[in-house]
Amino acid sequence: QEFYLFCFFCLGFVLFRSQAVKRLVQCMQPKVQAKGTPLAEKVPRRRSLSRLSMDFAKQDFTEVLAAWPVLEEQTAEALSMTVTALLALGRPEEIGLFIAKAVATMPYLRDALHLTVSALAEPTIEVPRQRIVVALRDLYDQARNELNPQAIQVLAVSFSRVNDEQRVNALMQLLSSKGQSATRDTLIKTVQGFLGCKNLDAAFGVLHRLVSAEFVGNLQLASLQRLVTDAARVASEADVPEGEHSDPAATRDWSWEMLELLENMEEAPVEAFTLLLEWAARQNPGDTEMASRVEQQLRTMTSCNGGALPTKACVALVQVHASVSGNQAKAHACFKDILESAEEEPTDSALVGMITSCIEEKNSDLAEHIYSWANGKGRCTPQLLGAAVKVLGAAKQSDRICQLYRNIQDKEFELDEVLYGTLIKHAVQAGQLGLARQLFGRSKNPDAQNYMSLMRACGQEGNPSQALDMLWDLRARGQADAATYNSALDVCVSCGDMQSASTVFQHMKESGHVDVVSYNILLKQHIGGAGSAAQVDALFQEMRSLGLQPNIATYNSLLGGYLSSEDYRQAWRTVDIMEREGPGIDAYTISILFKGYKGKRHVMDAASFDRALALIQKYTVKVDEVLVNVALEACVSLRDPGRLTNALNVFRRSGWTMPKQCAMHTYATLIKAYGQSRQLGMARRLWNDITCKKGLVPSEQLYGQMIDVLVTNDCLDDALELFAEMKQRHQDHLTSQGFAVAYAMVIKGFAQRKECARALQCYEEMKQNGTLVGLVVFNTLIDACSRVGDMDSAARLFRDMVEADCIPDLITYSTLIKGYCVRGELDQAMELFACMRRKGIQPDAIVFNSLLDGCAKKQMPVLCEQVIQDMVDAGVTPSNYSASILIKLYGRCRDLDAAFRVINEMPQKYGFRPNAAVYTCLMTTCITNGRMDLALDLRRRMLQEGTKLDEKTYSTLIRGALRGNNVEQCVSLIHAALDQGGSRFVDEELVQGTLVLIQRRRLWDERGQELMDRLRDEGVRVYFPTAQQPQQYQNYQQQHDTGAYCPERGFSGGRQSDARSQQRRRFPQPPKAVVH
């Protein structure tokens, strides 16, 4: 029995110590057994708080939960551990009711509920986040009315961390209903919670309350500034949704709202403003408005503190203004601030960022300036070099890229393969083939792109065999594709090595690498003198047999080939085929047409230009910057302002507007076009857009073009002001070609004004500055001196020209010969003429006519005849101008027979038709020699031959009739002039002289009145010749000009009884038709 008792005792001890039996016993106990039953009812306190803490530390949460009813003392700490146990056991939905009952049973726990809520929101154990959210929401739903103000605030902060904005607002209202308000720390933590969830809308709502509140103390201000900086960081990193139909509230720019909040703060943090500047720099294009407002705030703050802008802020400002929408001058100024007054030097990443921001705007000057500074500081890195190369590459400045590499090629850092490939490509484009090979040799593992770049270099050198070696090398490595084969094929065709081209093409067929591009390349060898249309057609058939259809690039290649070989008929035939059978016309097609004529501008007549321009409208071509450039250049060469204006209108109607990003060459072309079409206002507006709105620094070439436009449009003073600005901005480039052009334009303006002294002053300035004085400048200066008869200065310039190894041309000799002839120094002119012929310069009509005119003024008929003979011997045909000079000569010699021989024989002999100027010269000769009858015969001859008389012809005849006091001839000629050309064909002084002659001959009623009426109808201003005193006539004129009644003799000297005259008295005519 004792043994059995011992056995049952041991069995019972083990059994009742097991967890299962314990749970069974607990379930049998009322008040603490089942899940969901009340746990807060009073039970015997059998466990201590320390035992509870030990169970919690061992994570024996079941024991913790079971101990709550039997605790010796139920404290806030015990409550926190119990709710944590419920959370750990996966029973978060019971926590709210448990806390509510516990507080109802033990009210003393209410004051410490904030500790329980904190333990629930931030448990000390690993719990899934979603379980915490469920527990917090259950607490809100079941027990929020039991919470004290401090617990409410803790719960609100907890909900902000899970982005439950609705419950946060409800708890804040509950807190207000209890007569309490959230503390500063609660608001700060709430903002931080929402910021952590990226809920900027809720965060800013609370943040505005914080900023508007009055907090005292440096510690509180520092906390607020840190919070605002965090908000600025989140706002600047927030993505704004895109799309036309996005919710406006969702697409709010939080950075702008952040800026408004900062502007309302008394002591806003500098770092927050800097974050907004960095945000503005990340926009595309840069947000200049944001940058300007932030910069203004920062400069105000730093000036008050006596400090400088932070380096990060200056870096961001450089990036903003280096973009398309920025101000380039401001970008340079901000980088200067970094160098002079910033707190610290920019980091390597900041330097790369500033240079990279210049890519889209192609701002190579700023990029190179930043790069040069970094290189001078020994801070050049491969990343920095790569960024600078991208900018200069976008600006198409391959030469400067090569120079950048040469400056750092001794640096001890490795470039990656991509950068090596880019450098090789630009070295080839710059024609620096030795450098390209050097780079290729340094590249450890050159790829296909590097090989293709070097192949192009071989093509430029005319070395197709080396290009083929590279192709075979790539083929052996298994890297040859269609692009590399096409590169090698293009080199062979361009170098004229057709045998190698055939070999490459055969390999391409065998390896399956033939494509449309391959045939486009082969087309080049069938275009020009060695090709034919039949070969082109055969190549097209071969393409189609392989299933390859000619595309628009094929036809464009064909078109470009014909234009290069100057086969314009075949070029337009290709355009016809493209319209009829091909894929149509695109912008590249039209650009090729204009480019093809660019080298031979005289070939492209107005009709060809109009036809090419019409293609834009016919096919609704999208006009780009390249097309505008080449079209305007071709149009400018026509020197037709009307056609140029039409071209600009076509571009506008096609939807082309000035892009935000535009090359200097485009600006120069447009300014030149506006200037030639006499649209000076548009040229000025474009210049203002370049310099003021975009803040660009115009290049020397652009300055020269604008100066040329101003000079051409008679605005020399404005041109001089602009030239002074150019010299100030580009004072380090006074020896450049751009300055040589600008000086030439200014000198041209002085020559037009006949201000020879100022033109020579510019010449002396050019010599002092070392600016190259070219042929155009010398010719312009010689012309300026010749215009005012200063042939001594002209001769000195000619000597300077020869000493400067500037070879005089036909224009030089022509200008000098004409100047000497005008001055009467015929010997000097003849000597220059002989010198010119010795140097092999063929004289033109201008030179011969200048000599002819000089001989005529000296009245040397024999020498004139010799000049005409030399003119014919030189292959220069005499013209109407030559005939006019001879007629004037014979007129001075009073040899009418010789003068008539000129007009009767010379036109027939040399194949020209006499014009009005020749007849007018002969009429003058006849009148001078007293043969008015012959002059009138010449008028009848002109009418018979269909040669129109002009104003000068009629003036000459009327003047001759007045000299002979022949009223009939005067009146008849005036009526004839009015019949032919109206008032513009009569000279008012001669008409007035005729009226005086009529009045003196007392023929006013017969001839004067009728002529007066006719003149008044035509708008000619004449007055009735009277013997009245001058003062009386002046009073009459003033009365008539003001529309007062005129006395009868004011019109005719007798009574005017006809109805028309009476009507004219009552209704005065417009001022241009007033008769005095």
Side-chain angles (χ1 to χ4, degrees):
Q1 292 180 351
E2 291 178 358
F3 175 76
Y4 287 116
L5 181 62
F6 177 78
C7 289
F8 280 107
F9 175 82
C10 293
L11 179 63
F13 181 84
V14 173
L15 183 65
F16 284 97
R17 288 290 295 175
S18 66
Q19 293 292 334
V21 175
K22 284 182 179 181
R23 292 195 193 97
L24 180 62
V25 172
Q26 289 175 2
C27 291
M28 293 174 64
Q29 293 179 2
K31 303 180 183 178
V32 293
Q33 42 181 323
K35 181 179 179 180
T37 57
L39 300 177
E41 297 181 6
K42 293 183 179 180
V43 294
R45 295 181 178 87
R46 303 174 200 171
R47 295 193 184 183
S48 65
L49 185 61
S50 60
R51 174 68 182 274
L52 183 71
S53 300
M54 291 174 60
D55 291 337
F56 187 83
K58 294 187 294 184
Q59 296 192 2
D60 191 354
F61 298 120
T62 303
E63 285 295 327
V64 172
L65 194 62
W68 171 256
V70 293
L71 282 174
E72 295 176 353
E73 183 181 5
Q74 292 170 319
T75 63
E77 183 183 358
L79 181 62
S80 298
M81 287 188 284
T82 304
V83 297
T84 304
L86 283 171
L87 195 63
L89 292 172
R91 297 163 63 180
E93 67 277 358
E94 299 178 14
I95 292 176
L97 183 60
F98 171 71
I99 293 177
K101 288 185 176 291
V103 173
T105 306
M106 294 163 281
Y108 64 87
L109 294 174
R110 179 177 284 108
D111 293 337
L113 277 180
H114 62 282
L115 300 176
T116 304
V117 177
S118 297
L120 186 61
E122 299 178 6
T124 57
I125 58 174
E126 292 276 342
V127 179
R129 179 181 173 83
Q130 186 58 33
R131 196 179 293 178
I132 297 174
V133 174
V134 173
L136 291 173
R137 290 176 179 172
D138 188 65
L139 176 62
Y140 173 83
D141 293 337
Q142 301 291 340
R144 66 177 178 274
N145 292 324
E146 304 297 333
L147 302 178
N148 63 353
Q150 194 172 359
I152 291 174
Q153 295 183 65
V154 174
L155 184 59
V157 171
S158 302
F159 276 126
S160 71
R161 291 171 181 166
V162 296
N163 200 25
D164 195 336
E165 184 179 354
Q166 182 178 359
R167 286 182 171 84
V168 171
N169 293 333
L171 288 170
M172 291 299 179
Q173 292 177 4
L174 178 61
L175 189 64
S176 299
S177 66
K178 293 179 180 291
Q180 300 287 331
S181 60
T183 64
R184 174 187 59 80
D185 290 336
T186 298
L187 293 177
I188 289 177
K189 291 177 180 178
T190 303
V191 173
Q192 290 173 339
F194 282 128
L195 289 177
C197 300
K198 309 297 183 184
N199 188 346
L200 291 170
D201 197 5
F204 272 93
V206 182
L207 192 58
H208 278 292
R209 291 178 57 189
L210 270 171
V211 173
S212 62
E214 295 182 359
F215 298 119
V216 183
N218 293 331
L219 180 62
Q220 294 175 349
L221 179 60
S223 300
L224 180 60
Q225 288 183 337
R226 284 194 298 271
L227 180 65
V228 170
T229 301
D230 291 339
R233 182 174 291 105
V234 175
S236 63
E237 295 173 355
D239 292 330
V240 181
E242 296 180 356
E244 295 181 3
H245 305 291
S246 301
D247 181 11
T251 58
R252 250 192 315 182
D253 249 339
W254 293 110
S255 296
W256 279 99
E257 187 161 342
M258 189 72 231
L259 177 60
E260 293 175 0
L261 185 144
L262 290 172
E263 289 175 339
N264 292 328
M265 289 183 65
E266 291 186 3
E267 296 186 41
V270 172
E271 186 179 355
F273 280 119
T274 303
L275 288 167
L276 293 183
L277 277 178
E278 292 175 346
W279 173 87
R282 289 195 298 271
Q283 305 311 299
N284 188 18
D287 194 332
T288 54
E289 184 179 356
M290 165 73 80
S292 299
R293 285 177 59 176
V294 173
E295 182 186 6
Q296 183 179 1
Q297 292 289 331
L298 280 175
R299 291 197 183 278
T300 302
M301 294 168 61
T302 54
S303 63
C304 295
N305 300 331
L309 289 183
T311 302
K312 288 185 177 180
C314 291
V315 168
L317 284 171
V318 171
Q319 292 175 323
V320 169
H321 290 294
S323 67
V324 176
S325 60
N327 186 316
Q328 304 304 316
K330 189 65 179 290
H332 281 272
C334 291
F335 184 71
K336 186 178 180 181
D337 288 343
I338 295 176
L339 305 184
E340 293 180 353
S341 57
E343 300 170 350
E344 56 184 359
E345 290 187 352
T347 62
D348 290 345
S349 60
L351 290 171
V352 172
M354 286 188 288
I355 293 178
T356 304
S357 63
C358 301
I359 294 177
E360 192 173 1
E361 181 60 16
K362 304 175 184 176
N363 191 350
S364 57
D365 291 338
L366 177 60
E368 198 168 1
H369 178 53
I370 297 172
Y371 174 85
S372 299
W373 176 85
N375 191 30
K377 290 284 186 178
R379 297 181 56 186
C380 183
T381 63
Q383 294 77 17
L384 196 69
L385 176 63
V389 167
K390 287 180 181 178
V391 178
L392 294 175
K396 301 185 184 303
Q397 297 179 356
S398 298
D399 289 330
R400 292 168 73 176
I401 291 175
C402 295
Q403 188 59 44
L404 286 187
Y405 175 74
R406 292 185 187 279
N407 292 338
I408 58 94
Q409 59 183 344
D410 297 331
K411 302 282 185 181
E412 295 182 357
F413 56 76
E414 290 293 331
L415 306 181
D416 58 24
E417 298 304 321
V418 176
L419 185 52
Y420 267 122
T422 305
L423 290 171
I424 292 171
K425 180 184 72 173
H426 286 293
V428 172
Q429 290 178 356
Q432 301 186 25
L433 307 183
L435 178 61
R437 288 192 175 84
Q438 178 186 345
L439 290 164
F440 186 83
R442 290 192 175 187
S443 178
K444 294 181 179 179
N445 186 24
D447 57 12
Q449 290 295 331
N450 296 352
Y451 274 93
M452 290 165 60
S453 297
L454 212 57
M455 285 180 188
R456 284 190 284 271
C458 295
Q460 292 180 18
E461 290 180 329
N463 189 357
S465 60
Q466 190 172 359
L468 291 181
D469 291 341
M470 294 182 184
L471 175 64
W472 307 141
D473 186 17
L474 272 177
R475 186 183 180 189
R477 294 166 56 181
Q479 296 181 1
D481 56 7
T484 53
Y485 272 111
N486 285 331
S487 295
L489 182 64
D490 187 46
V491 170
C492 295
V493 172
S494 300
C495 295
D497 190 350
M498 300 310 167
Q499 184 177 357
S500 298
S502 300
T503 303
V504 173
F505 194 64
Q506 186 61 36
H507 282 287
M508 293 175 71
K509 286 182 177 180
E510 294 172 358
S511 59
H513 288 111
V514 176
D515 57 10
V516 177
V517 177
S518 310
Y519 281 97
N520 293 348
I521 295 171
L522 285 178
L523 279 172
K524 298 177 183 178
Q525 65 181 337
H526 300 308
I527 300 171
S532 65
Q535 291 174 324
V536 172
D537 293 339
L539 203 61
F540 271 64
Q541 290 178 4
E542 184 180 339
M543 285 181 66
R544 294 187 177 97
S545 67
L546 295 176
L548 300 174
Q549 292 297 325
N551 57 17
I552 195 166
T554 307
Y555 286 104
N556 285 340
S557 177
L558 189 63
L559 179 63
Y562 283 132
L563 290 171
S564 298
S565 60
E566 300 183 18
D567 191 347
Y568 300 104
R569 186 181 64 83
Q570 284 294 338
W572 283 110
R573 176 177 171 270
T574 304
V575 172
D576 293 336
I577 295 174
M578 293 175 72
E579 293 189 84
R580 185 175 62 253
E581 302 174 2
I585 303 293
D586 64 359
Y588 192 57
T589 309
I590 303 174
S591 297
I592 291 173
L593 278 172
F594 287 123
K595 283 181 181 177
Y597 284 106
K598 185 177 179 181
K600 298 286 184 180
R601 291 182 178 179
H602 62 278
V603 177
M604 191 175 205
D605 55 357
S608 299
F609 179 86
D610 292 341
R611 183 179 177 186
L613 194 66
L615 294 173
I616 297 176
Q617 295 176 299
K618 183 176 181 180
Y619 291 94
T620 319
V621 173
K622 184 178 180 181
V623 178
D624 58 11
E625 188 175 342
V626 175
L627 178 54
V628 170
N629 271 321
V630 295
L632 288 180
E633 286 175 0
C635 189
V636 164
S637 66
L638 294 174
R639 301 188 179 278
D640 186 341
R643 186 164 275 101
L644 192 53
T645 302
N646 179 53
L648 292 170
N649 292 334
V650 168
F651 297 150
R652 294 191 192 100
R653 288 194 297 269
S654 300
W656 184 81
T657 56
M658 177 66 66
K660 293 180 179 179
Q661 172 187 340
C662 201
M664 285 290 179
H665 178 70
T666 304
Y667 286 126
T669 304
L670 284 169
I671 287 175
K672 183 177 182 180
Y674 287 135
Q676 192 178 102
S677 59
R678 297 293 178 179
Q679 300 183 54
L680 184 58
M682 291 297 296
R684 290 183 187 274
R685 192 178 307 168
L686 182 56
W687 183 264
N688 182 68
D689 181 64
I690 297 168
T691 56
C692 298
K693 292 184 179 179
K694 295 190 175 183
L696 298 174
V697 178
S699 63
E700 301 101 282
Q701 290 75 19
L702 188 55
Y703 266 114
Q705 190 59 67
M706 189 63 194
I707 291 171
D708 183 22
V709 168
L710 292 171
V711 170
T712 304
N713 287 270
D714 300 325
C715 297
L716 181 58
D717 294 335
D718 293 340
L720 292 174
E721 183 178 346
L722 193 63
F723 187 48
E725 177 187 311
M726 175 185 176
K727 288 189 285 188
Q728 183 178 2
R729 284 198 172 183
H730 295 284
Q731 55 185 342
D732 296 333
H733 302 87
L734 292 174
T735 59
S736 66
Q737 180 62 26
F739 266 95
V741 173
Y743 271 112
M745 295 303 106
V746 172
I747 291 171
K748 174 185 172 184
F750 287 137
Q752 291 173 350
R753 285 191 178 183
K754 296 185 178 181
E755 297 183 17
C756 179
R758 298 183 69 180
L760 292 173
Q761 184 179 353
C762 281
Y763 170 62
E764 296 298 330
E765 187 177 311
M766 290 180 74
K767 291 196 295 184
Q768 291 176 4
N769 295 334
T771 308
L772 177 64
V773 184
L775 179 63
V776 175
V777 174
F778 273 118
N779 286 341
T780 307
L781 285 167
I782 291 173
D783 179 60
C785 296
S786 299
R787 284 171 182 260
V788 297
D790 187 1
M791 297 310 298
D792 295 335
S793 297
R796 181 175 58 83
L797 287 167
F798 185 76
R799 289 192 296 271
D800 290 351
M801 189 177 185
V802 174
E803 291 173 0
D805 293 329
C806 183
I807 301 174
D809 63 354
L810 177 62
I811 297 175
T812 312
Y813 285 103
S814 175
T815 306
L816 284 168
I817 289 171
K818 184 177 180 180
Y820 280 121
C821 289
V822 170
R823 192 172 173 179
E825 298 181 14
L826 193 57
D827 294 338
Q828 291 285 350
M830 287 297 183
E831 184 178 343
L832 270 176
F833 179 72
C835 177
M836 169 185 172
R837 303 197 75 170
R838 284 195 303 270
K839 292 184 178 295
I841 299 176
Q842 186 68 25
D844 61 358
I846 296 176
V847 174
F848 280 112
N849 286 329
S850 297
L851 288 173
L852 189 64
D853 189 46
C855 296
K857 288 179 179 178
K858 291 285 188 178
Q859 296 187 15
M860 304 170 69
V862 177
L863 193 54
C864 286
E865 296 287 350
Q866 184 61 47
V867 171
I868 291 291
Q869 187 58 48
D870 291 344
M871 190 175 185
V872 175
D873 294 341
V876 179
T877 305
S879 62
N880 278 306
Y881 189 73
S882 310
S884 299
I885 295 172
L886 289 176
I887 290 172
K888 291 178 183 177
L889 166 66
Y890 293 126
R892 295 189 189 100
C893 297
R894 297 188 175 276
D895 190 349
L896 279 180
D897 293 337
F900 271 92
R901 278 198 304 272
V902 170
I903 200 169
N904 292 331
E905 299 176 3
M906 199 170 178
Q908 184 177 2
K909 183 176 181 180
Y910 298 113
F912 65 87
R913 183 179 177 182
N915 59 15
V918 175
Y919 278 109
T920 303
C921 285
L922 188 53
M923 289 176 182
T924 303
T925 299
C926 294
I927 293 170
T928 305
N929 287 273
R931 295 300 303 272
M932 183 66 187
D933 56 328
L934 295 178
L936 293 175
D937 289 342
L938 286 173
R939 173 177 173 266
R940 286 188 287 271
R941 179 176 170 178
M942 290 178 69
L943 295 175
Q944 290 173 359
E945 294 179 355
T947 303
K948 292 184 178 180
L949 286 75
D950 58 13
E951 178 188 356
K952 191 170 183 180
T953 307
Y954 278 109
S955 297
T956 301
L957 290 171
I958 295 172
R959 190 176 291 108
L962 282 172
R963 287 180 63 183
N965 295 325
N966 194 323
V967 174
E968 295 294 333
Q969 289 179 354
C970 289
V971 173
S972 176
L973 289 170
I974 291 174
H975 281 296
L978 293 174
D979 290 340
Q980 182 173 335
S983 60
R984 64 187 181 89
F985 265 47
V986 295
D987 183 273
E988 291 184 0
E989 292 184 2
L990 294 175
V991 170
Q992 188 63 48
T994 301
L995 294 176
V996 172
L997 177 62
I998 293 172
Q999 176 69 7
R1000 193 169 64 242
R1001 291 293 181 89
R1002 303 183 182 276
L1003 297 173
W1004 186 262
D1005 291 335
E1006 292 81 3
R1007 295 291 186 183
Q1009 183 61 57
E1010 180 183 0
L1011 182 60
M1012 178 74 79
D1013 293 341
R1014 174 75 187 277
L1015 290 169
R1016 185 173 62 178
D1017 290 339
E1018 296 290 345
V1020 182
R1021 294 181 62 90
V1022 292
Y1023 59 90
F1024 172 73
T1026 177
Q1028 293 178 337
Q1029 295 296 327
Q1031 183 63 38
Q1032 292 177 338
Y1033 173 73
Q1034 184 179 4
N1035 294 337
Y1036 153 73
Q1037 185 179 22
Q1038 292 174 353
Q1039 291 176 357
H1040 187 80
D1041 286 342
T1042 56
Y1045 175 79
C1046 300
E1048 293 178 359
R1049 290 189 60 83
F1051 288 102
S1052 63
R1055 295 190 58 86
Q1056 297 182 359
S1057 57
D1058 59 291
R1060 187 173 62 176
S1061 298
Q1062 295 295 335
Q1063 184 180 12
R1064 287 174 183 148
R1065 288 183 180 183
R1066 294 193 300 268
F1067 303 100
Q1069 298 296 314
K1072 67 178 183 178
V1074 170
V1075 178
H1076 299 283

